[in-house]
């Protein structure tokens, strides 16, 4: 765990405030419309994901989750909704949000398949881990100052299964999204953007370093958990061994049973510490592994918009097209670039504050759990040793009596 903390202290990850580009802010700027945290009394949308159910058909097996929404917003026809959604529905929502807000940071979804060796697909542990991740996904959207008012998000929360299925067939399809991706990739292949503002170059450099560090942390955290589980499995065998041993050693039977009891208590404490790692640390770190991929994609989409503007400006300068027509297109692209830049600036600051809070909370929680674990185990063994000392002195006193 010390390795994890030392990695976190690296300047590229722990000093998240090191990137704070100065920029002019006008009263009407989009960044002024965003808040990091809403006041509790202003929260008007509450979402819960629970009650997973397995569904088995002739062609597939899948899980649905109940999504309960309570709200006081006027744009909703009711104050409470209850629908069931499967993982594919969450994927659809994420793609629609990315399509509508290409330069906003859309929260990540858990991967469709889990890492081999961690949990089995459709096991209770896997389903519960995914439920928590889906719950966090929806609530991150609900707490976002822009995404929370997205129409597709509202439909996701309120529409019955058949209504959602009908709605999913509308709008731009897969080919349209593929076309956007191809253009973005082509833009990056051509050598990037000539006139990219310095702050976005700094963002890109920051994310490359962050991505490397968070992936290292992810691997270390999983290795620590694996070693902790191996230690736990071995320790589970030691208690019963000492209990069996005590049956054949009458003179030290009580001491051996005491050792077995201490091992059992430490084994239970180790299990609690493992639960803390799997429930609090591993999901947080891996979520930000996914976030790093999302942010790199957002930066590429911003560059693609900038690249379109640059190519139009170059064409106009070279007089390769009608001046009036291109001037109008350039004006629209300039507005589009400004909106994209403002959206990303605001979301970037908001994301970094969330990241700092989540990382600090996760590692503080791990440190507290470790302190509690060692204190509990130390007290267990000290109590046992003290009892053995008392018994030993008592035996010596009885032997000294005439």
């Amino acid at each position: 765990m010390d390795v994890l903390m030392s990695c976190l202290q690296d300047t590229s990850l722990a000093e998240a405030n090191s990137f704070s580009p100065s920029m002019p802010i006008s009263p009407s700027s989009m960044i002024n419309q965003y808040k990091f945290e809403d006041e509790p009394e202003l929260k008007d949308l509450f979402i819960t994901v629970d009650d997973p159910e397995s569904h088995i058909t002739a062609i597939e097996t899948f899980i649905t989750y109940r999504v309960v929404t309570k709200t006081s917003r006027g744009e909703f026809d009711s104050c409470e909704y209850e629908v069931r959604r499967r993982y594919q529905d969450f994927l659809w929502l994420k793609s629609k949000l990315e399509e509508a807000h290409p330069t906003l940071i859309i929260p990540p979804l858990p991967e469709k398949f889990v890492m081999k060796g961690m949990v089995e697909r459709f096991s209770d542990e896997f389903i519960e881990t995914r439920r928590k991740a889906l719950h966090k996904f929806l609530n991150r959207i609900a707490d976002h100052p822009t995404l929370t008012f997205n129409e597709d998000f509202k439909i996701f929360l309120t529409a019955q299964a058949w209504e959602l299925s009908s709605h999913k067939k509308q709008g731009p399809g897969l080919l349209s999204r593929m076309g956007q991706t191809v253009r973005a990739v082509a833009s990056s292949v051509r050598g990037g953007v000539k006139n990219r503002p310095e702050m976005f170059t700094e963002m890109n450099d920051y994310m490359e370093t962050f991505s490397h560090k968070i992936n290292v942390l992810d691997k270390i955290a999983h290795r620590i958990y694996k070693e902790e589980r191996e230690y736990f499995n071995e320790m589970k065998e030691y208690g019963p061994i000492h209990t069996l041993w005590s049956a054949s050693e009458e003179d030290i039977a009580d001491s051996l049973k005491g050792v077995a009891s201490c091992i059992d208590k430490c084994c239970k404490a180790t299990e609690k510490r493992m639960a803390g790692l799997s429930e609090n640390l591993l999901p947080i770190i891996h979520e930000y592994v996914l976030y790093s991929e999302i942010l790199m994609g957002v930066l590429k989409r911003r560059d693609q918009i900038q690249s379109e503007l640059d190519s139009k400006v170059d064409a106009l300068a070279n007089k390769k097209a009608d001046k009036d027509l291109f001037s109008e297109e350039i004006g629209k692209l300039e507005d589009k670039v400004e909106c994209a830049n403002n959206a990303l600036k605001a979301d970037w600051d908001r994301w970094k504050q969330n990241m700092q809070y989540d990382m600090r909370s996760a590692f503080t929680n791990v440190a507290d759990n470790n302190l509690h674990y060692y204190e509990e185990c130390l007290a267990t063994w000290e109590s046992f040793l003290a009892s053995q000392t008392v018994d030993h002195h008592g035996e010596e006193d009885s032997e000294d009596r005439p």
Side-chain angles (χ1 to χ4, degrees):
M1 192 58 63
D2 292 338
V3 179
L4 273 172
M5 296 304 295
S6 64
C7 285
L8 184 66
Q9 290 169 356
D10 186 276
T11 56
S12 62
L13 186 59
E15 296 178 10
N17 279 321
S18 61
F19 179 78
S20 55
S22 59
M23 56 185 175
I25 301 177
S26 65
S28 61
S29 171
M30 188 175 294
I31 194 170
N32 283 335
Q33 301 173 26
Y34 288 175
K35 293 175 61 180
F36 169 55
E37 289 182 342
D38 289 331
E39 295 298 325
E41 61 267 24
L42 298 179
K43 189 173 177 65
D44 54 8
L45 186 62
F46 301 86
I47 305 170
T48 303
V49 178
D50 60 11
D51 190 26
E53 284 186 2
S54 297
H55 300 264
I56 302 175
T57 69
I59 58 175
E60 63 177 339
T61 299
F62 60 93
I63 308 295
T64 63
Y65 301 84
R66 180 175 65 175
V67 178
V68 177
T69 303
K70 296 183 180 181
T71 182
S72 59
R73 292 183 184 175
E75 64 265 27
F76 286 82
D77 296 330
S78 176
C79 60
E80 185 170 347
Y81 296 88
E82 179 178 320
V83 296
R84 296 204 70 86
R85 298 287 182 254
R86 56 184 297 183
Y87 181 76
Q88 290 181 355
D89 298 327
F90 287 86
L91 281 177
W92 169 83
L93 173 61
K94 185 173 183 293
S95 70
K96 295 298 288 185
L97 292 174
E98 290 173 343
E99 183 181 303
H101 309 282
T103 56
L104 290 182
I105 303 170
I106 311 301
L109 277 172
E111 296 100 331
K112 188 170 185 178
F113 301 103
V114 295
M115 291 184 63
K116 186 176 181 181
M118 290 299 294
V119 291
E120 293 295 328
R121 191 170 180 232
F122 298 133
S123 68
D124 290 342
E125 183 181 355
F126 168 79
I127 293 172
E128 177 59 14
T129 299
R130 170 163 286 183
R131 183 200 66 78
K132 289 179 179 179
L134 297 176
H135 176 87
K136 178 179 282 189
F137 170 74
L138 292 183
N139 279 277
R140 284 200 186 278
I141 296 172
D143 292 338
H144 193 282
T146 300
L147 300 178
T148 187
F149 297 107
N150 178 272
E151 185 63 23
D152 289 306
F153 180 49
K154 176 186 173 184
I155 290 171
F156 177 90
L157 297 177
T158 61
Q160 294 304 310
W162 66 269
E163 294 175 304
L164 181 63
S165 178
S166 175
H167 184 77
K168 286 165 70 173
K169 297 176 182 178
Q170 303 173 10
L174 176 61
L175 293 177
S176 174
R177 294 195 297 273
M178 286 179 62
Q180 294 172 3
T181 303
V182 169
R183 288 197 300 273
V185 172
S187 173
S188 63
V189 170
R190 285 196 298 268
V193 183
K194 294 184 298 182
N195 300 316
R196 177 201 283 160
E198 180 62 24
M199 68 174 302
F200 295 110
T201 299
E202 291 182 25
M203 281 187 191
N204 192 74
D205 293 343
Y206 180 97
M207 285 313 305
E208 287 181 356
T209 303
F210 178 87
S211 178
H212 171 71
K213 297 299 181 183
I214 200 68
N215 274 280
V216 170
L217 283 176
D218 190 51
K219 291 177 182 177
I220 293 173
H222 279 90
R223 189 175 72 216
I224 289 174
Y225 181 82
K226 181 176 178 288
E227 292 174 355
E228 192 81 0
R229 178 174 286 280
E230 291 172 352
Y231 171 67
F232 170 74
N233 290 334
E234 290 180 1
M235 190 162 54
K236 280 198 303 184
E237 300 177 2
Y238 293 151
I241 288 174
H242 282 79
T243 301
L244 291 173
W245 187 8
S246 68
S248 58
E249 297 284 352
E250 293 184 5
D251 293 341
I252 57 173
D254 290 341
S255 295
L256 290 173
K257 289 179 181 178
V259 170
S261 176
C262 289
I263 293 175
D264 182 60
K265 290 178 181 178
C266 290
C267 193
K268 291 178 180 177
T270 301
E271 191 172 20
K272 289 180 183 178
R273 185 162 74 152
M274 286 170 52
L277 288 173
S278 65
E279 294 174 7
N280 300 317
L281 182 66
L282 297 182
I284 291 294
I285 292 180
H286 194 65
E287 181 184 21
Y288 280 94
V289 169
L290 301 178
Y291 258 127
S292 68
E293 298 171 1
I294 289 170
L295 271 152
M296 294 302 288
V298 169
L299 287 166
K300 284 182 179 179
R301 288 194 289 273
R302 195 222 70 87
D303 282 354
Q304 191 264 326
I305 297 171
Q306 178 84 53
S307 180
E308 289 183 19
L309 173 61
D310 292 344
S311 64
K312 295 290 185 183
V313 171
D314 289 343
L316 182 60
N318 295 328
K319 299 180 179 179
K320 292 182 178 179
D322 179 77
K323 184 176 180 180
D324 293 336
L325 177 61
F326 260 52
S327 295
E328 183 179 351
E329 291 182 4
I330 287 173
K332 292 179 180 179
L333 282 171
E334 286 175 341
D335 292 342
K336 189 175 181 181
V337 169
E338 183 178 2
C339 288
N341 289 349
N342 287 337
L344 182 50
K345 287 174 189 175
D347 240 18
W348 172 262
D349 291 337
R350 187 177 187 275
W351 174 81
K352 282 185 62 179
Q353 290 183 62
N354 274 322
M355 181 270 289
Q356 292 171 34
Y357 175 82
D358 288 343
M359 287 294 177
R360 183 167 55 247
S361 298
F363 280 93
T364 300
N365 184 272
V366 169
D368 290 342
N369 285 343
N370 283 345
L371 284 172
H372 181 74
Y373 166 78
Y374 288 117
E375 288 172 351
E376 186 176 350
C377 291
L378 183 62
T380 296
W381 286 107
E382 285 181 341
S383 176
F384 168 72
L385 291 174
S387 68
Q388 294 301 298
T389 303
V390 171
D391 291 345
H392 179 67
H393 288 164
E395 291 174 1
E396 288 183 347
D397 292 343
S398 63
E399 290 175 359
D400 292 341
R401 294 193 188 99

